[in-house]
Amino acid sequence: MLSLLLKSYKFLGNYAWLNEVYTVLPPILYAILGCVGGAGTVYAIILGVNLAKADSDDTRKNAANRLKNTIIGVAILLVLVLVINLLLPMALAAFLPVEVIK
């Protein structure tokens, strides 16, 4: 869907640089998402094991807090990558003058 959406637009004039940006940016962002998502998943598993093995309440609370922050961070990254890759091209198409996009 993304490739069809971006290939259907051709930015002209002062916005011509967006053509190159949207040919390079999506694969880079999806690669970053894959790397950080994978690392976040492994780290969340390790934190879950630490939470299960925690002896004291202080250690358990620390591990639970770290686990919560890791899950929130990966979710925010996912949302940002999807917004940049999917919603930003649609917003540009909606707000730029019709003559710029063909």
Side-chain angles (χ1 to χ4, degrees), residues 17 25 33 35-36 41 54-55 69 78 81:
W17 61 274
L25 188 64
L33 178 65
C35 292
V36 173
T41 302
D55 292 334
N69 290 341
L78 174 67
V81 167

Side-chain angles (χ1 to χ4, degrees), residues 25-71:
L25 188 64
I28 291 172
L29 289 176
Y30 284 132
I32 290 172
L33 178 65
C35 292
V36 173
T41 302
V42 170
Y43 188 58
I45 291 170
I46 291 171
L47 289 174
V49 170
N50 287 344
L51 179 64
K53 291 172 42 176
D55 292 334
S56 66
D57 286 336
D58 188 40
T59 309
R60 190 173 298 116
K61 185 185 285 187
N62 189 15
N65 193 23
R66 284 178 149 183
L67 183 61
K68 178 184 72 167
N69 290 341
T70 301
I71 292 171

Side-chain angles (χ1 to χ4, degrees), residues 9-30:
Y9 295 124
K10 180 74 173 169
F11 296 97
L12 304 172
N14 292 336
Y15 298 103
W17 61 274
L18 287 172
N19 295 323
E20 294 179 26
V21 169
Y22 279 114
T23 57
V24 175
L25 188 64
I28 291 172
L29 289 176
Y30 284 132

